[in-house]
Amino acid sequence: IERTIETATKRYPLLLGDGAARELPSLLRSLACPPGTKLFIITDDTVAPLYLDEVRATLAAAEYDVYAYVIPSGEAAKSFDNYYACQTAAIKCGLDRRSVIVALGGGVVGDLAGFVAATYMRGIRYIQMPTTLLAHDSAVGGKVAINHPLGKNMIGAFHQPEAVVYDTAFLRTLPEREIRSGFAEVIKHALIRDRRFYEWLRAEIKTLADLHGDKLAYCIEKGIDIKASVVREDEKETGVRAHLNFGHTLGHALESELGYGTLTHGEAVAIGMLFAVFVSERFYGRSFAEHRLADWFSGYGFPVSLPAAVQTSRLLEKMKSDKKAYAGTVRMVLLCEIGDVEVAELEDDKLLAWLNEFARRGE
Ligand code: NAD
Ligand code: ZN
């Protein structure tokens, strides 16, 4: 499958399918990267033993000059220290302005490697090679970032890749918890933009075991198409792109408050989406049967309530430093109806009361 991702500043190809990685050399040549170009693969220590040799061999056989740098796996690796280590390795390998970084991994590698590419010598080209279900989201759209202990994705850039090469064969080794994590972003895409897709998910994906073969491929394609259509409209998040943050205001607060990697990104976003629906019901005075959404989520094994260890007042503080907030006022993406969302401003005291009520619900 081939798609063209279009933003205000760039058009680039996305190749999707079993064996897509083998198309890498011909793709590179079409992008004006002749053999001999230095390619710097950034990957993590889970993905490296599985796929690095294969990707390196494909590129070396096409006479590219291939280097690799391996970071630890997990959310905690999206750090300033690893960013700096990648820059050091890039300089030592002698990467120049014509070199290309290859991000081989999930959203952590993609976000970090993309930010390295955005800033090395004021910006060089890079290619996204997603290896997780979640990365159907993160590899498209050009948002790249690292975390700060005080907040998720606080340091970053908009830097579009030259191409996305999504070899779905790589997903076969993905553990169940990571499939679940990526599925949260699939659900997000349905909830914010596509009621029919939401209904299809409810009917066809009864458990995570249904996420394979054609159904998995359909989820990836739909997710990419929705993401791409939002990014086409609004590359730099001055408007509708904020809708993609549905579930992320609380989700990001949870990730940084609990310590990066305690929950997967998708688990945090799942709780965040349920809270966004809970707030929407109160804000608009209508019911989305949040408890039934929670039952649906828990059928996939998502956590559906706030972890007991977390203090709601601290979550509120984190939510106030979210990138959507202005002048300390929290702005959350709320559900108007399934398939339609909007951004709303929320007062602190109301939000805290709702956080407390959300924490106690179902007791
Ligand atoms: P990840 O990159 O940490 O991958 C999850 C785990 O799976 C890791 O342990 C990794 O080593 C392992 N893994 C990766 N591919 C594998 C494979 N094929 N087989 C076996 N194991 C494999 O996390 P993720 O869930 O892919 O991405 C989460 C990150 O993406 C978060 O930091 C989130 O903020 C970011 N994100 C960014 C955007 C964006 O627009 N830039 C969008 C959504 C999410
Ligand atoms: Zn996300």
Side-chain angles (χ1 to χ4, degrees):
I1 295 168
E2 216 186 314
R3 289 278 194 283
T4 303
I5 310 296
E6 271 190 88
T7 72
T9 60
K10 201 159 181 165
R11 281 168 70 99
Y12 51 92
L14 177 146
L15 301 185
L16 169 67
D18 197 317
R22 290 195 292 271
E23 308 298 318
L24 207 49
S26 60
L27 180 79
L28 282 165
R29 285 193 297 273
S30 76
L31 295 170
C33 300
T37 303
K38 279 190 183 175
L39 302 178
F40 186 64
I41 304 173
I42 298 178
T43 187
D44 75 28
D45 62 9
T46 302
V47 178
L50 293 168
Y51 306 112
L52 179 57
D53 285 350
E54 180 183 330
V55 173
R56 196 204 295 263
T58 303
L59 293 168
E63 296 183 343
Y64 286 97
D65 191 9
V66 189
Y67 301 82
Y69 187 78
V70 180
I71 62 166
S73 74
E75 186 67 35
K78 228 171 91 174
S79 66
F80 187 80
D81 286 351
N82 283 320
Y83 165 77
Y84 189 76
C86 287
Q87 296 287 4
T88 305
I91 297 167
K92 285 190 177 159
C93 294
L95 296 201
D96 58 37
R97 285 205 158 136
R98 292 195 179 168
S99 304
V100 178
I101 290 176
V102 177
L104 175 66
V108 165
V109 164
D111 281 11
L112 173 82
F115 186 53
V116 171
T119 47
Y120 183 76
M121 291 187 170
R122 300 200 179 86
I124 63 170
R125 299 177 294 176
Y126 76 113
I127 288 176
Q128 289 279 15
M129 289 192 76
T131 65
T132 62
L133 173 57
L134 187 134
H136 83 272
D137 185 350
S138 56
V140 173
K143 270 194 184 182
V144 295
I146 55 174
N147 298 326
H148 188 284
L150 294 176
K152 255 294 268 195
N153 296 339
M154 277 296 177
I155 305 161
F158 291 97
H159 187 52
Q160 301 292 341
E162 296 304 303
V164 181
V165 179
Y166 200 161
D167 192 331
T168 47
F170 293 169
L171 296 178
R172 283 187 204 122
T173 50
L174 203 58
E176 182 178 83
R177 191 174 179 204
E178 300 303 338
I179 295 277
R180 179 183 300 116
S181 180
F183 190 54
E185 304 278 23
V186 174
I187 294 173
K188 174 193 80 179
H189 284 130
L191 285 173
I192 66 167
R193 274 292 184 279
D194 196 328
R195 183 179 186 103
R196 282 185 54 195
F197 181 40
Y198 162 80
E199 278 160 5
W200 182 90
L201 289 172
R202 294 211 66 154
E204 299 293 329
I205 313 296
K206 297 286 187 204
T207 68
L208 288 186
D210 293 325
L211 274 179
H212 62 78
D214 289 349
K215 288 184 181 177
L216 176 62
Y218 183 67
C219 286
I220 293 173
E221 253 188 88
K222 280 299 261 182
I224 288 173
D225 287 346
I226 293 169
K227 172 89 191 238
S229 78
V230 173
V231 170
R232 184 182 309 127
E233 233 182 291
D234 175 23
E235 177 178 11
K236 301 259 165 89
E237 200 167 320
T238 52
V240 292
R241 186 162 185 173
H243 294 175
L244 296 168
N245 286 301
F246 182 63
H248 284 61
T249 310
L250 179 61
H252 281 169
L254 279 169
E255 286 187 83
S256 80
E257 186 56 27
L258 293 167
Y260 296 116
T262 306
L263 293 176
T264 63
H265 179 66
E267 287 166 347
V269 168
I271 299 171
M273 289 193 286
L274 290 174
F275 180 62
V277 172
F278 183 88
V279 170
S280 306
E281 291 185 327
R282 280 146 191 83
F283 192 82
Y284 298 118
R286 61 169 294 189
S287 173
F288 293 103
E290 188 264 327
H291 59 284
R292 268 189 272 145
L293 271 185
D295 288 346
W296 181 48
F297 280 21
S298 66
Y300 300 123
F302 283 112
V304 295
S305 39
L306 289 181
V310 65
Q311 273 181 289
T312 49
S313 57
R314 292 187 57 102
L315 288 177
L316 177 65
E317 284 315 305
K318 287 267 161 82
M319 289 168 85
K320 288 166 67 125
S321 62
D322 180 78
K323 292 187 291 308
K324 285 183 301 309
Y326 297 133
T329 302
V330 177
R331 295 172 71 249
M332 259 179 83
V333 184
L334 299 185
L335 197 66
C336 310
E337 50 196 301
I338 303 235
D340 188 22
V341 287
E342 67 182 16
V343 179
E345 290 196 357
L346 298 163
E347 292 156 23
D348 288 9
D349 48 350
K350 250 189 198 153
L351 198 53
L352 186 60
W354 285 335
L355 273 170
N356 287 326
E357 205 187 319
F358 182 73
R360 287 192 309 267
R361 86 198 196 294
E363 267 178 9

